[in-house]
Amino acid sequence: MEHAGGADRGTRQAAAGGRPARARRRARRDAGRGRRRARHALDLLCATGTSYFGRPRTPYVPGVQGAGVANGRPVWFATSAGMAPGDGSMAQFAAVPADDLVELPAGADPVAVAALGLSAVAAHMALTWRGELVPGEQVVVLGAGGVVGQAAVRIARIAGARRVVAGARSPAARDRAWQAGADAVVALDTGDVASLAARFAEACDGPADLVLDPLFGPAAAAAARALRRGGRWVNLGSSADETCPIESSTLRGRSLRLLGYTNNELTAEQRAASIVFVAEQAALGRLAVACETVSLEDAGAAWLRQAAGAASGRIVLIPRRGLLDESLSD
């Protein structure tokens, strides 16, 4: 779940007590204006203590990111809520250090940016920075019905991939992969590696250059067989399985490069540049993912739907209906 809302550049001093009481109250009030929070899978992992960061200290406010308006300008910000002590974005107001605000291009839609957010950053940087994607290459995107996967299909195309082959499990997820612009979509509805590998071989136009893998498990092992000699396999998640039945002969016989990726390895400058790229592409209509907006008051029910996999897309929390429009018109 992501949060779209706002944060004021004065909140750093307000939180530190560096300004008079009247100024602190103003910063606190402005900090919540127009904010959107997207409920992210990482929020669920952190809150349940199942992420590799361990169990968070409680009580705390979840929310690893938000987007909105600060001082009349569209901004995005990330938090370490659930990964380190401190509160996140899922509240009416959030105090954000000024240095953590990333100013977005004019015309950026905070809802779209909140929905894309860190998932699109992961897709972008895993493809272009870690995966070293170059124009003319063929890319396989696993989990292409999820937010990371949908973004990856579109970003691979933007980056000049000649062919994008998607893999997704459910019919609805496969439909989202098609809508994202995949050239072919492979059904990941079996755990049989040989069967999946045959499907990828049929869908690909010759050996693939790069596999983007947020799943791990049998699908990743099968997609690896579609790679050319020296091909790259970038893993950025384990939503299907914590282990993968990959054969040593597949790795060694093709001299494959297995690369791990996490957003936490990015510098603040890399992350900011990536989110600006994401916002620019969204504003141009080239980058989008399925999402739905939910009021902050209904966050509890939305959280349960997301945990059960019943959400229709990325859930974006809105503190109060119309708040963002009021902020933009000030």
Side-chain angles (χ1 to χ4, degrees):
M1 240 186 209
E2 308 311 321
H3 176 183
D8 187 273
R9 289 191 178 274
T11 56
R12 184 178 194 182
Q13 291 131 310
R19 302 205 300 183
R22 182 176 179 181
R24 289 199 297 270
R25 286 195 297 271
R26 173 63 181 272
R28 180 67 171 176
R29 183 172 68 251
D30 290 347
R33 303 200 68 180
R35 196 153 32 108
R36 299 288 185 276
R37 314 157 179 83
R39 176 152 288 175
H40 196 281
L42 181 56
D43 290 320
L44 291 169
L45 289 172
C46 289
T48 56
T50 54
S51 77
Y52 56 72
F53 297 102
R55 186 172 297 278
R57 294 183 184 177
T58 54
Y60 85 101
V61 176
V64 296
Q65 62 185 316
V69 176
N71 290 336
R73 298 189 297 269
V75 297
W76 175 91
F77 62 94
T79 83
S80 58
M83 297 173 277
D87 290 331
S89 62
M90 292 185 190
Q92 187 70 36
F93 298 94
V96 181
D99 290 345
D100 289 352
L101 295 178
V102 178
E103 188 169 342
L104 301 175
D109 178 4
V111 173
V113 175
L116 288 159
L118 290 169
S119 294
V121 167
H124 176 224
M125 297 302 283
L127 284 169
T128 61
W129 175 62
R130 195 71 169 125
E132 301 175 348
L133 174 62
V134 297
E137 290 191 317
Q138 181 172 213
V139 179
V140 174
V141 176
L142 302 180
V147 177
V148 172
Q150 291 174 68
V153 169
R154 293 179 183 270
I155 292 171
R157 184 74 69 207
I158 293 168
R162 69 175 177 88
R163 184 173 178 82
V164 181
V165 175
R169 183 167 184 172
S170 70
R174 295 198 292 274
D175 285 344
R176 291 193 292 271
W178 283 117
Q179 291 168 13
D183 293 297
V185 179
V186 172
L188 305 181
D189 55 2
T190 177
D192 184 81
V193 174
S195 176
L196 290 174
R199 295 179 189 180
F200 279 116
E202 182 179 358
C204 288
D205 179 21
D209 301 283
L210 174 63
V211 170
L212 189 83
D213 167 33
L215 301 181
F216 222 42
R225 295 188 187 182
L227 284 168
R228 63 167 172 82
R229 183 175 180 82
R232 291 99 65 202
W233 168 10
V234 181
N235 174 263
L236 62 160
S238 54
S239 62
D241 204 322
E242 280 292 335
T243 62
C244 179
I246 186 71
E247 297 174 346
S248 174
S249 59
T250 301
L251 291 172
R252 293 183 295 108
R254 304 182 190 191
S255 296
L256 300 184
R257 294 167 56 195
L258 175 54
L259 306 165
Y261 174 86
T262 171
N263 280 343
N264 293 319
E265 288 297 314
L266 300 178
T267 66
E269 292 76 17
Q270 285 177 311
R271 188 177 66 187
S274 183
I275 200 70
V276 169
F277 166 84
V278 167
E280 289 173 342
Q281 297 304 312
L284 291 171
R286 298 173 180 168
L287 186 57
V289 294
C291 71
E292 58 177 293
T293 58
V294 174
S295 67
L296 183 60
E297 291 77 10
D298 297 326
W303 185 285
L304 293 175
R305 284 196 297 114
Q306 175 114 358
S312 60
R314 175 57 52 83
I315 297 175
V316 179
L317 296 180
I318 303 177
R320 180 167 63 81
R321 296 291 178 183
L323 188 60
L324 179 60
D325 294 334
E326 293 171 13
S327 296
L328 290 171
S329 64
D330 283 352

